[in-house]
Amino acid sequence: MKNFSPDIYKDPTLVARLKQRIAELAQEFKEPVKIMHICGTHEHEMGRYGLRDLLPDNVEVLAGPGCPVCVCDTEYIDQAIQLALSPEVILTSFGDMLAVPGSIPLKGERKGDVRMSLLDAKARGGDVRAVYSVFDAAKLAQANPKKQVVFFSAGFETTVVAVAALLKRGAPDNFFIIEANYFTPPATHLLPELEGFDVNGFLLPGHASAITGIRIYEHLPDYGIACASAGFDPVDVLAGIASVLRQLVENKPGLENTYGRVIQYDGNRKALAELDEVFARSSKRWRGIADIPESGFQLKGKYRRYSTEERFAEVLADPPERSVNEHPKGCRCAEITLGLARPDDCPVFDKLCTPDNPYGPCMVSHEGTCRAWYIYGMGKERIHVEV
Amino acid sequence: MSRYERIRMSHGSGGKLTLELIEDLFAATFASAPLKELCDAAVLDNPGGRLAFATDSHSIKPLFFPGGDIGRLAVAGTVNDLSVMGAKPVYLSSAFILEEGFPIAELTKIVRSMKATADEAGIEIVTGDTKVVEKGKGDGIFINTTGLGFIPDGLKIGPQHVRPGDVLLVSGSIGDHGIAVMSQREGFEITLELKSDVAPLNGLIETVLAAAPNIRFMRDVTRGGLAAVANEMVMRKPFGVRIFDAKVPLHHDVVEYSEMLGIDPLLSANEGKVVLAAPPNEVEAALAAMHSHPLGQQAAIVGDVVKKPEGRAIVETAYGSRRMLEMPIEEQLPRIC
Ligand code: SF4
């Protein structure tokens, strides 16, 4: 029997010390300091542990493009829906993707510019199943040799590594993937070039950097942005923030690894080599943001036979009617994803758009900023308690 | 009955095989006087007073899981629904929907488990029903149980009686059932020390009410976990509830496994824990009473009722920070990252 805080990375005494340290460092700044993280899990943990409560008023932590579900291009979602509705297909997906609206209009069901999600496809008879990993999807293919099993391979570096490992070892002949895997560093590189982007520091992703390492971020400090890779427990997150602030106070923006127990400077070479064998980097559309060169993973060489684009080329050549706007009308996910707006800036947040009836993608995934803000009650003020 | 190994459509036809199933398995195992009569309705003694009446249907995958099975769940679930209203559960009905082909050996195990749980709770299963659906049209077995209980005079239990300043207690570790069952699901099948906590709580609750008769609110923790109970207690009420997450008792397997899967243990299910709100002057008595009972060894104070925020459940962390505790939206699913 244990209570919360099973290890030192959740230790309240350490957290209190870091809080103190951050407060001291923050006193050195006349202007507000903005730190952006680029990992949905960071936002989720910020909410779960109420970490914004522990920061001084002049230190703001913003959520960046760290939610794979939110940036997944509508084309892949629509493709998944289309395939799910083919009788020969069992469509498997992480649970997080199921309720994400794509761009196929869904008329007359709910209010607003409503789009179809995989759940809607399921309700229309599609065989859609949530799986926990790509390996479960492959097992399903083995158990259903007469069906075509499609795995909606959404996610960042972290999840695509498992896909590479599986395909390299060989997957069943009736197993295919939708190549919706994104590579985060090119998007991060794009941020400082954006108009209106004024961020003083980055918390680099924890999971993704365990694969890629952080050398690839070496040029970010050239923009005057202080960087620290950070883990996810409260001590990790606060240590990352303290590192960024210290670098800024010393006026030496650099690249620090505060998550050394998981991240190596050059990443996980074995995983990277496997990744490179199976996937090539390609340009990908980040939903509502931009086409970003080199930011996606595409099957290469002999592995292309696992691509839905190869196997289902005929079906996919005849797509259903799609809306031209990537996000539903009025949804501000794109700005929120870039840290240019906050969920409570969106007029339909907590009104038309809630987790049980999501209007935009950022309200669907646990990594989504809108959802995290909704379920953990994050906002401009600390929650007021009166006993 | 032993002539067949599996359920056939005729087991639900109302004919000979149905009768065999009822006499040889259900009536023989449950062994209650009304059931042995094989009448269309059980005729029961009525001790007078107010009645509590509850029904619940049960389906679960897998049917047998560490710490219990669907039979134990079906009995304990309804017993607990009655008990948290302050009622003493007395009678239960049990209706089965069986899928053609369901192994009778498994059914027998489940029925025996129901009887054992009923004995543990001190109640009788007095009437029942059996239907058989075609293969592919059911998930093996569904069980509906309906229960009757009698409410002693003088109890005032319900969210409308809760007041700011009341103290929130739980009878033990949170999230056990949800995590234990999830660990057995397809694709995981890992072995944990953890077992489901499924158990009838009427004994524990009777002990608590004897020591602390002014308990204001009670609810057994089921799907949606502690988060659902906390939210139900304050929903649309002029008060809120604050939970101190560091005080919530958690089994180490629940801590580790939910961490691994990115699941909030406060949203994970139990089937043998009760949450209650006690007025300040009865907190000690309620806690001591729970500690004196085998099912309440790890009982703890986990929070309090606050004036603000109204209608909301919040968590105060070990760090002094705060967050909302959501009303669970969907079944807890592992996340991408
Ligand atoms: S609340 Fe978020 S997800 Fe919902 S519509 Fe607004 S920006 Fe989009």
Side-chain angles (χ1 to χ4, degrees):
Chain A
M1 184 68 46
K2 281 193 222 173
N3 286 342
F4 270 141
S5 311
D7 59 38
I8 58 163
Y9 301 104
K10 293 191 174 78
D11 181 61
T13 317
L14 272 179
V15 167
R17 263 194 235 156
L18 281 160
K19 178 184 167 189
Q20 175 68 24
R21 171 89 178 123
I22 289 170
E24 285 163 15
L25 287 164
Q27 282 176 4
E28 306 287 324
F29 298 92
K30 292 191 188 68
E31 301 283 312
V33 184
K34 287 187 179 176
I35 302 175
M36 175 179 274
H37 66 71
I38 338 169
C39 177
T41 307
H42 274 141
E43 189 59 18
H44 189 264
E45 302 303 288
M46 294 290 301
R48 173 168 165 200
Y49 295 110
L51 297 183
R52 285 197 176 89
D53 265 9
L54 306 178
L55 301 177
D57 287 342
N58 63 337
V59 175
E60 190 184 352
V61 175
L62 304 170
C67 161
V69 172
C70 310
V71 301
C72 182
D73 188 14
T74 50
E75 199 186 313
Y76 300 119
I77 298 166
D78 297 346
Q79 189 189 120
I81 292 168
Q82 204 186 344
L83 293 177
L85 291 172
S86 324
E88 48 172 345
V89 169
I90 300 177
L91 193 290
T92 62
S93 164
F94 291 118
D96 270 22
M97 286 302 308
L98 298 183
V100 186
S103 67
I104 305 171
L106 188 66
K107 293 192 185 96
E109 281 222 349
R110 295 172 294 237
K111 251 175 80 181
D113 172 16
V114 178
R115 319 289 188 71
M116 248 182 125
S117 69
L118 277 169
L119 288 181
D120 297 310
K122 189 173 179 195
R124 279 158 185 71
D127 191 346
V128 177
R129 306 194 195 178
V131 288
Y132 299 111
S133 78
V134 64
F135 300 102
D136 294 344
K139 265 195 223 159
L140 202 65
Q142 216 155 29
N144 295 275
K146 292 205 181 98
K147 290 275 189 174
Q148 311 300 314
V149 173
V150 171
F151 176 61
F152 189 175
S153 184
F156 291 140
E157 300 79 296
T158 34
T159 49
V160 76
V161 178
V163 180
L166 172 84
L167 297 187
K168 207 187 144 193
R169 281 157 195 76
D173 286 340
N174 58 335
F175 176 79
F176 306 93
I177 70 163
I178 298 177
E179 298 146 278
N181 284 104
Y182 286 76
F183 185 52
T184 42
T188 314
H189 299 162
L190 188 86
L191 292 170
E193 305 281 351
L194 286 176
E195 206 184 297
F197 188 82
D198 67 337
V199 155
N200 313 91
F202 274 129
L203 282 188
L204 299 175
H207 296 134
S209 304
I211 310 291
T212 60
I214 57 173
R215 186 185 295 283
I216 40 170
Y217 296 107
E218 263 176 350
H219 65 285
L220 286 174
D222 297 344
Y223 293 94
I225 299 176
C227 300
S229 62
F232 301 104
D233 281 328
V235 168
D236 294 316
V237 176
L238 296 178
I241 293 170
S243 158
V244 166
L245 292 176
R246 190 186 37 48
Q247 296 175 47
L248 292 171
V249 167
E250 290 169 354
N251 204 10
K252 274 191 224 147
L255 184 55
E256 283 184 7
N257 183 6
T258 67
Y259 196 30
R261 68 181 190 280
V262 170
I263 297 174
Q264 288 177 356
Y265 204 78
D266 284 310
N268 179 342
R269 289 176 192 224
K270 190 174 159 259
L272 285 172
E274 211 158 73
L275 204 52
D276 278 341
E277 190 186 325
V278 179
F279 288 97
R281 302 285 152 78
S282 64
S283 174
K284 261 204 202 322
R285 179 81 191 160
W286 289 56
R287 184 172 188 171
I289 299 177
D291 294 308
I292 305 180
E294 302 275 292
S295 71
F297 292 98
Q298 194 172 27
L299 290 167
K300 73 178 184 194
K302 62 176 181 182
Y303 298 102
R304 283 221 57 74
R305 72 181 182 93
Y306 293 112
S307 166
T308 47
E309 287 177 4
E310 300 279 316
R311 167 66 180 77
F312 299 98
E314 237 166 82
V315 184
L316 297 174
D318 182 23
E321 183 206 335
R322 301 171 65 205
S323 170
V324 284
N325 301 322
E326 286 173 274
H327 286 294
K329 228 168 122 202
C331 168
R332 301 189 64 182
C333 270
E335 290 157 273
I336 288 167
T337 305
L338 295 171
L340 301 174
R342 304 161 31 132
D344 47 2
D345 294 329
C346 174
V348 298
F349 176 75
D350 195 6
K351 297 189 182 81
L352 184 65
C353 187
T354 54
D356 49 339
N357 193 11
Y359 184 62
C362 301
M363 190 56 93
V364 176
S365 163
H366 285 83
E367 321 273 306
T369 307
C370 294
R371 186 187 174 111
W373 279 53
Y374 180 94
I375 63 175
Y376 294 127
M378 287 188 274
K380 296 199 163 69
E381 308 268 311
R382 168 174 161 90
I383 297 168
H384 172 69
V385 170
E386 191 184 315
V387 291
Chain B
M1 185 196 75
S2 54
R3 289 188 287 156
Y4 298 100
E5 284 186 359
R6 291 180 180 274
I7 289 292
R8 307 178 142 223
M9 289 307 292
S10 356
H11 280 118
S13 66
K16 196 157 176 267
L17 284 191
T18 310
L19 193 66
E20 268 183 27
L21 193 64
I22 295 173
E23 282 195 321
D24 296 353
L25 180 58
F26 300 138
T29 310
F30 294 149
S32 67
L35 200 56
K36 277 192 187 135
E37 308 287 329
L38 295 179
C39 290
D40 283 345
V43 179
L44 309 169
D45 290 334
N46 178 2
R50 286 184 300 160
L51 285 177
F53 185 42
T55 189
D56 208 347
S57 299
H58 300 267
S59 72
I60 190 166
K61 242 188 196 171
L63 296 174
F64 300 88
F65 47 83
D69 55 72
I70 187 172
R72 182 168 175 80
L73 192 66
V75 173
T78 298
V79 165
N80 294 348
D81 285 348
L82 294 169
S83 308
V84 293
M85 294 304 294
K88 288 187 193 340
V90 196
Y91 302 121
L92 219 61
S93 76
S94 148
F96 297 87
I97 296 181
L98 304 169
E99 187 180 347
E100 187 187 4
F102 189 71
I104 292 197
E106 285 193 16
L107 179 61
T108 307
K109 248 167 99 180
I110 290 167
V111 168
R112 287 196 182 130
S113 166
M114 290 177 79
K115 167 66 172 162
T117 312
D119 286 349
E120 196 179 319
I123 55 148
E124 278 191 299
I125 299 174
V126 291
T127 185
D129 179 53
T130 311
K131 292 283 177 299
V132 177
V133 294
E134 276 169 44
K135 186 144 186 82
K137 300 260 166 75
D139 225 353
I141 176 169
F142 300 122
I143 306 176
N144 170 278
T145 53
T146 298
L148 267 183
F150 298 101
I151 304 180
D153 287 334
L155 288 178
K156 278 190 192 155
I157 298 174
Q160 70 275 23
H161 301 296
V162 174
R163 298 284 171 270
D166 287 353
V167 172
L168 201 72
L169 300 100
V170 298
S171 65
S173 54
I174 289 301
D176 300 18
H177 176 76
I179 298 290
V181 171
M182 194 181 291
S183 73
Q184 298 301 302
R185 292 254 166 97
E186 229 177 305
F188 288 125
E189 295 136 4
I190 56 167
T191 315
L192 301 177
E193 178 192 293
L194 179 74
K195 292 194 166 34
S196 163
D197 55 346
V198 53
L201 290 168
N202 53 333
L204 172 77
I205 288 172
E206 217 173 292
T207 312
V208 173
L209 287 178
N214 294 303
I215 292 294
R216 313 240 222 225
F217 171 88
M218 263 196 295
R219 191 61 57 89
D220 53 328
V221 188
T222 57
R223 270 176 310 183
L226 182 55
V229 176
N231 275 287
E232 280 162 16
M233 184 173 92
V234 300
M235 212 187 298
R236 288 188 282 277
K237 292 283 181 302
F239 51 77
V241 62
R242 169 173 60 174
I243 287 169
F244 299 98
D245 67 359
K247 294 190 178 167
V248 175
L250 296 174
H251 188 282
H252 62 87
D253 278 343
V254 171
V255 174
E256 277 150 36
Y257 198 68
S258 52
E259 181 88 25
M260 194 175 101
L261 293 175
I263 281 171
D264 186 345
L266 300 185
L267 275 68
S268 171
N270 287 89
E271 286 293 346
K273 297 289 155 43
V274 60
V275 172
L276 46 92
N281 61 349
E282 288 191 355
V283 174
E284 287 307 316
L287 193 60
M290 286 200 275
H291 285 158
S292 75
H293 193 277
L295 292 178
Q297 295 297 304
Q298 280 149 348
I301 294 172
V302 294
D304 56 1
V305 179
V306 293
K307 287 189 189 131
K308 281 196 173 122
E310 289 181 12
R312 304 298 299 253
I314 69 156
V315 167
E316 195 149 316
T317 70
Y319 318 123
S321 57
R322 294 178 183 144
R323 66 158 161 109
M324 289 294 172
L325 182 60
E326 61 175 316
M327 183 69 178
I329 300 159
E330 71 261 295
E331 201 192 348
Q332 292 266 77
L333 285 177
R335 310 200 314 261
I336 286 192
C337 246

